[in-house]
Amino acid sequence: MNVFDESGRAASGARAAARCRILGGERYSDMSGGLFRPFLGTAHIAAMELVSAWMREAGMIVARDPAGTLVGRYEGQRPDAPCLMIGSHIDSVHNGGFYDGVLGVMLGIECVEHFARRGERLPFAIEVLAFGDEEGSRFPLSMLGSRALSGKPLGTVDTMTDRHGISLHDAMAAVGLDAARIAEARRDRSGILAYLEAHIEQGPVLDHEGAAVAAVSGIAGIQRFHVQIGGIPGHAGTVPLAMRHDALAAASEIVLEIEAFAARHASSLIATVGRIEAFPGAINVIAGRVVLTVEIRSVDDAVLEGSVGQVEERLAAVSARRGVAYTIFDRQTFPAARCDSRLVSMLATAMEQAGLRRRVMVSGAGHDAMMMTGWVPSAMLFVRSPRGVSHHPDETVEIPDVEAAFDVMTRFISDLGRTGIGPENESHAREQ
Ligand SMILES: [Zn+2]
């Protein structure tokens, strides 16, 4: 089958996936032998040109906003109608996969092409957004495009440099953008009806269940903190076990306590100890000090907040029993982002109409949608990640799953045109 033959749905899904692979090619990567497309690198500029051409071909007017986001607009039945934004990102992590972010942009273009080909105008415009920086793989701030668009604080954009010492200011100037004007990317909320983002799941859940797609009810919030365990260092040969205050043995018990805690609350949170360091860190010395990281994720901010205290209770118990001291430091909180319950419900209904199982799940990873929820009604659609592989060259998608996503998205858009978003209805808010 020629996937570019524009003969209908199967072609649209296949073409979206094929275009992700084209953008995975050498010309669109800043590393050899793999994909690396950081913000405003040569590869990103080349990718923007190609994506612009595809947007135009699909019937959109294309512009670049002051934060380097590519915006393709397909007008609605009347000019200046509010728009449905369909967005994701076209930057990548180092040696990343072809589909993370890009697939959502390609599906947005296919949706517009679908309505444009039939000459169908909707009560709203559709804007396809290709954010230039989501991963933060060049400058130390992620989600720059969606952050600026939604008017969130931009942090230290004035002084940021990449690892080669090139300032964001110079990187933007080189492509005709002005870092001093990033904030002008902020959009007027009244011009936006809703935000939709399709993205690969980046985890194994849908693959495990044999499901093609799922609506996302929310993006998990994150609590991160460090724990220091203070024991007493000593000679590995001379200090009897009963007389030790071994910080590493205590930390090991704490790691397993945190895992057990996460297992007991598996329906509402997930917790991980991702790094542990022992000091002095010698083969013949009892560790006197250990520092470990704890990360807890939940879509429920109250659960998240309460979980820190629960972890601390276990820390206190283990520390008391083993005669070591503990301190918690560098605590960071990233609040959960709830998708709009009405849009989530509409996506789930579109799945049923498409002959798929109604499936709603939580996103454990961050996405541009985080910047949009709470600002405009937002929703996400996950596409199965075979074997859950992501941020890796082996990341892939199944064409029938991309076709299913396209089917769900176009039905969702048609329904939105017919019924609008509808009144707030809290009964759907906790649909899982
Ligand atoms: Zn992504």
Side-chain angles (χ1 to χ4, degrees):
M1 180 186 69
N2 172 12
V3 297
F4 291 95
D5 72 4
E6 318 212 342
S7 66
R9 298 217 147 150
S12 297
R15 182 168 57 185
R19 285 176 166 177
C20 293
R21 289 193 296 277
I22 291 171
L23 286 170
E26 227 170 83
R27 194 171 139 65
Y28 304 101
S29 172
D30 285 343
M31 70 179 276
S32 59
L35 175 64
F36 180 37
R37 194 161 49 235
F39 185 46
L40 301 180
T42 313
H44 178 221
I45 304 302
M48 281 205 281
E49 271 174 36
L50 185 57
V51 174
S52 300
W54 287 336
M55 284 175 165
R56 281 191 206 96
E57 215 177 280
M60 287 177 263
I61 303 288
V62 185
R64 193 178 60 174
D65 86 359
T69 299
L70 210 54
V71 182
R73 185 172 167 106
Y74 176 67
E75 290 295 346
Q77 287 157 4
R78 56 184 176 80
D80 304 327
C83 67
L84 165 67
M85 288 180 165
I86 304 178
S88 200
H89 60 97
I90 56 171
D91 65 323
S92 84
V93 294
H94 188 262
N95 204 20
F98 296 175
Y99 302 93
D100 180 347
V102 179
L103 183 68
V105 179
M106 296 304 113
L107 277 167
I109 293 172
E110 292 301 331
C111 287
V112 168
E113 198 272 343
H114 167 81
F115 291 101
R117 176 159 37 90
R118 305 180 334 166
E120 189 176 342
R121 297 280 170 180
L122 296 147
F124 44 84
I126 299 177
E127 286 190 10
V128 178
L129 308 176
F131 295 116
D133 169 66
E134 190 268 352
E135 303 283 8
S137 48
R138 179 169 180 188
F139 297 99
L141 179 72
S142 59
M143 303 187 196
L144 179 66
S146 50
R147 204 179 280 278
L149 185 111
S150 60
K152 305 286 187 300
L154 295 168
T156 54
V157 285
D158 304 335
T159 55
M160 260 178 217
T161 57
D162 67 11
R163 66 193 180 88
H164 302 293
I166 299 170
S167 66
L168 177 64
H169 186 276
D170 289 349
M172 293 187 81
V175 297
L177 290 166
D178 181 354
R181 302 179 67 173
I182 296 178
E184 291 174 25
R186 181 181 190 150
R187 293 285 295 268
D188 184 354
R189 218 178 96 179
S190 64
I192 305 164
L193 176 69
Y195 175 80
L196 173 65
E197 179 167 359
H199 201 283
I200 55 166
E201 181 203 342
Q202 300 183 274
V205 175
L206 293 179
D207 196 27
H208 185 72
E209 290 179 4
V213 295
V216 175
S217 58
I219 300 167
I222 307 174
Q223 282 281 354
R224 283 182 184 153
F225 54 91
H226 288 68
V227 176
Q228 176 168 279
I229 313 289
I232 299 175
H235 193 289
T238 61
V239 185
L241 279 186
M243 296 172 71
R244 292 184 183 188
H245 299 277
D246 185 332
L248 185 53
S252 308
E253 201 176 323
I254 287 161
V255 171
L256 295 176
E257 281 281 346
I258 290 171
E259 186 191 41
F261 166 74
R264 273 196 300 281
H265 299 89
S267 62
S268 61
L269 61 80
I270 195 157
T272 306
V273 175
R275 199 172 74 210
I276 184 163
E277 278 179 288
F279 302 93
I283 194 165
N284 56 355
V285 182
I286 300 159
R289 185 167 70 91
V290 166
V291 175
L292 56 90
T293 60
V294 182
E295 194 198 76
I296 307 168
R297 296 187 184 220
S298 173
V299 80
D300 187 325
D301 282 328
V303 166
L304 207 54
E305 189 59 38
S307 68
V308 180
Q310 290 173 280
V311 166
E312 190 169 0
E313 277 172 26
R314 284 157 183 80
L315 267 174
V318 172
S319 299
R321 185 156 36 76
R322 287 181 165 270
V324 297
Y326 74 89
T327 44
I328 289 178
F329 64 102
D330 275 356
R331 186 170 156 184
Q332 285 180 291
T333 304
F334 304 90
R338 278 214 163 271
C339 291
D340 186 280
S341 57
R342 300 160 300 176
L343 295 180
V344 174
S345 188
M346 286 175 74
L347 272 175
T349 302
M351 279 174 218
E352 278 176 342
Q353 290 168 355
L356 300 160
R357 203 168 354 132
R358 195 180 173 97
R359 178 72 174 96
V360 182
M361 67 183 288
V362 164
S363 171
H367 296 287
D368 286 304
M370 284 173 89
M371 293 292 144
M372 311 299 276
T373 59
W375 183 59
V376 293
S378 302
M380 282 193 81
L381 183 70
F382 270 172
V383 181
R384 161 167 45 190
S385 291
R387 302 185 312 287
V389 179
S390 182
H391 281 186
H392 187 276
D394 289 346
E395 174 186 286
T396 187
V397 290
E398 299 287 347
I399 304 293
D401 294 351
V402 182
E403 281 161 13
F406 172 76
D407 197 2
V408 169
M409 289 170 81
T410 47
R411 287 172 191 274
F412 168 88
I413 294 166
S414 295
D415 287 352
L416 195 60
R418 261 194 307 278
T419 65
I421 298 183
E424 297 267 8
N425 180 355
E426 281 307 305
S427 69
H428 291 298
R430 299 203 163 246
E431 182 170 8
Q432 289 285 323

